Amino acid sequence: MQMNTPRVVALLWLLWIAHTYADDRVLRADIHHPHNTPLKDVAVVVTVDHEQSLNTITDHFIGHSLGFPNYGVHLAPYVESEKLINIARALSPMWVRMAGNFVSGTPYKVTRGALWDKMNLFFKTVGWDQIHVLDDHVHHHDGSWSPDKARALLQYSAAKNYPFAGFELGNEYDIASQHSNKTLTPQQLAKGVQTLRDLLGEFHQYNSSFIMGPDTAFVNPHFFKGFLSAGGSTVVRAATFHQYYFPGPQGKLSYFTNITIFEKLSRRIDLAMEQAHAVNPHLPVWLSETGSASDHGSAGLSDRFVAGFLWLDKLGMCAKKGIQSLIRFVFYANNDYYGLINKELNPNPDFWLTVLYKRIVRGAVFNVTGRHDVRVYAACSNTNKLVL
Ligand SMILES: *[C@@H]1O[C@H](CO)[C@@H](O)[C@H](O)[C@H]1NC(C)=O
Ligand SMILES: *[C@@H]1O[C@H](CO)[C@@H](O)[C@H](O)[C@H]1NC(C)=O
Ligand SMILES: *[C@@H]1O[C@H](CO)[C@@H](O)[C@H](O)[C@H]1NC(C)=O
Ligand SMILES: *[C@@H]1O[C@H](CO)[C@@H](O)[C@H](O)[C@H]1NC(C)=O
């Protein structure tokens, strides 16, 4: 990258940064703190180390999830609408993670027939690449996974040439016992993904599709590292985990600007990196399901302007800490509070941030040091400028 005199474009959310001066490695930013009355300028010096890149932002850095059948079914009546198609295209190219019911993944009964055909036509039209969470529904007594129903899905989809970029097997098995009577050990899940790899080999269309896992709700050595060291790491393209900052119903306005809350993600990523890289130092790590507030979001908060602080901080932190892709939950939530678009199919503020980020940020990511309570991240733009 050529950047003797860094030129700066700022991705502004609240107009905190009035202007920046650049002199080689030190950027001085004058910050207006909006809660101070009268407005007081606070000078903050941040140092951007642009000698070394910490990560590479691709056009697939951000993805999103579509719950299926639930949210997907609710979206289905609109998939031919020009408005929805335009909104969806604005995010392309993008992963769409078809995540189904808790634990089981997407039920097989909805992955064949008219509804399935309609969703696949929509994905093709808007340029979304599907990552499919397979229903792990059929387990034998010994915990081994039976691929028969998945084979039927793949046969149906292969006959119609529906592409699958990747697959996951089941969802959040580390906390499955809280939600269902189905439990699986990390070793059993690692065997399951190997069986899935063998199954994909039966189809030339899906032979090069990737598998991700273990898709845990948390990152604990027993399950996350246990899965990877039991053979999972040789099958998956990326080690995957999930993260939300707090349960939606408990969400408060102050949580969305509280640095202590922001930092929860930092620890989770560090744990995932440590455990994954202890098994294989080169294994990519993905944050495969994430948002601000879990459990349907926080009413009037996680779908509003203020949600942008946590979302932008998450994008910056994931980029800086080497996460290869992150997948936002969820694209559309008809009665919930964390969608990128709302019930009326109008974009929420996080949608615009996502579109801006995707359009502007591309390539190298730089280390920024400065004040902990002033969140500044730096990366390259698609026109080879520096984005703060
Ligand atoms: C677990 O199994 C018991 C006994 O079969 C049943 O009563 C209970 O509802 C099940 N719990 C869940 C969460 O499925
Ligand atoms: C799948 O890929 C493997 C390894 O490249 C190859 O040996 C095998 O023939 C492929 N199978 C199909 C069905 O294309
Ligand atoms: C931020 O959150 C932490 C942890 O919940 C809490 O202890 C602290 O008081 C909060 N700070 C503000 C300014 O609300
Ligand atoms: C960023 O720079 C700081 C200060 O030099 C250093 O402590 C930290 O390890 C660096 N972070 C990364 C990810 O390199």
Side-chain angles (χ1 to χ4, degrees):
M1 197 194 61
Q2 289 176 347
M3 211 169 54
N4 298 335
T5 312
R7 287 162 299 165
V8 177
V9 286
L11 186 60
L12 294 181
W13 190 224
L14 203 60
L15 285 173
W16 273 1
I17 301 179
H19 38 253
T20 55
Y21 316 86
D23 79 11
D24 201 17
R25 288 188 55 204
V26 178
L27 297 171
R28 205 179 96 92
D30 283 349
I31 312 285
H32 297 283
H33 197 291
H35 300 306
N36 286 353
T37 33
L39 276 180
K40 229 169 58 186
D41 281 7
V42 185
V44 176
V45 175
V46 295
T47 308
V48 180
D49 178 0
H50 57 74
E51 301 291 308
Q52 190 197 344
S53 173
L54 304 175
N55 197 359
T56 304
I57 304 299
T58 67
D59 60 3
H60 279 72
F61 177 62
I62 311 175
H64 65 71
S65 217
L66 197 57
F68 203 75
N70 36 11
Y71 298 132
V73 166
H74 293 131
L75 192 64
Y78 311 110
V79 295
E80 281 150 22
S81 112
E82 201 184 332
K83 174 177 171 180
L84 182 66
I85 288 173
N86 286 338
I87 286 172
R89 272 199 183 127
L91 296 168
S92 287
M94 200 170 208
W95 305 121
V96 53
R97 174 176 179 259
M98 291 290 273
N101 297 330
F102 197 83
V103 178
S104 358
T106 302
Y108 290 118
K109 63 179 185 295
V110 296
T111 51
R112 272 168 280 177
L115 179 61
W116 189 237
D117 295 340
K118 206 170 173 178
M119 295 311 289
N120 276 277
L121 178 62
F122 175 66
F123 296 158
K124 188 175 172 192
T125 306
V126 302
W128 288 356
D129 304 313
Q130 187 182 165
I131 297 173
H132 194 85
V133 184
L134 284 166
D135 191 338
D136 69 328
H137 193 64
V138 190
H139 271 288
H140 298 304
H141 292 302
D142 63 358
S144 65
W145 177 63
S146 161
D148 297 346
K149 290 203 163 184
R151 182 179 288 113
L153 155 69
L154 295 180
Q155 280 164 347
Y156 181 90
S157 292
K160 303 219 166 200
N161 263 321
Y162 296 154
F164 291 105
F167 292 91
E168 297 168 20
L169 187 59
N171 185 59
E172 299 190 352
Y173 260 109
D174 57 328
I175 57 165
S177 60
Q178 293 171 20
H179 298 266
S180 79
N181 288 334
K182 284 201 327 186
T183 58
L184 213 56
T185 66
Q187 292 75 22
Q188 286 166 336
L189 186 60
K191 281 211 177 95
V193 294
Q194 183 57 60
T195 307
L196 172 58
R197 185 72 267 164
D198 296 342
L199 173 68
L200 298 181
E202 295 173 18
F203 296 84
H204 69 88
Q205 293 95 333
Y206 308 127
N207 199 15
S208 53
S209 302
F210 58 82
I211 296 173
M212 312 195 302
D215 272 280
T216 46
F218 298 97
V219 178
N220 65 59
H222 167 67
F223 212 101
F224 188 79
K225 191 175 176 188
F227 165 86
L228 296 172
S229 52
S233 73
T234 62
V235 178
V236 296
R237 162 187 172 156
T240 48
F241 68 103
H242 301 173
Q243 187 267 349
Y244 295 87
Y245 298 95
F246 45 82
Q250 293 164 25
K252 295 196 179 84
L253 178 62
S254 64
Y255 289 3
F256 289 83
T257 51
N258 183 328
I259 305 294
T260 310
I261 306 273
F262 287 24
E263 286 299 321
K264 286 179 163 194
L265 173 62
S266 174
R267 283 190 296 278
R268 181 82 55 92
I269 295 176
D270 290 347
L271 281 174
M273 290 287 179
E274 253 167 58
Q275 290 176 30
H277 293 163
V279 179
N280 173 356
H282 305 293
L283 191 62
V285 178
W286 285 29
L287 177 49
S288 57
E289 185 186 308
T290 194
S292 53
S294 63
D295 305 295
H296 313 285
S298 302
L301 295 170
S302 56
D303 53 353
R304 303 296 167 90
F305 176 84
V306 75
F309 293 104
L310 280 171
W311 184 227
L312 269 186
D313 196 66
K314 176 166 289 174
L315 295 175
M317 190 184 287
C318 283
K320 179 176 171 176
K321 286 181 172 277
I323 295 289
Q324 200 177 67
S325 275
L326 73 161
I327 299 183
R328 163 70 179 243
F329 199 87
V330 61
F331 174 67
Y332 173 74
N334 52 318
N335 283 319
D336 294 341
Y337 310 104
Y338 45 24
L340 290 180
I341 64 172
N342 69 14
K343 189 177 176 146
E344 287 75 39
L345 310 181
N346 292 323
N348 286 329
D350 281 0
F351 169 86
W352 298 112
L353 284 178
T354 307
V355 170
L356 274 178
Y357 195 97
K358 283 183 70 79
R359 295 225 169 138
I360 298 172
V361 184
R362 188 67 47 85
V365 178
F366 306 113
N367 195 5
V368 180
T369 39
R371 265 171 60 166
H372 178 68
D373 59 346
V374 176
R375 313 297 282 192
V376 181
Y377 297 95
C380 266
S381 77
N382 54 358
T383 53
N384 209 24
K385 292 183 179 170
L386 183 67
V387 190
L388 288 185

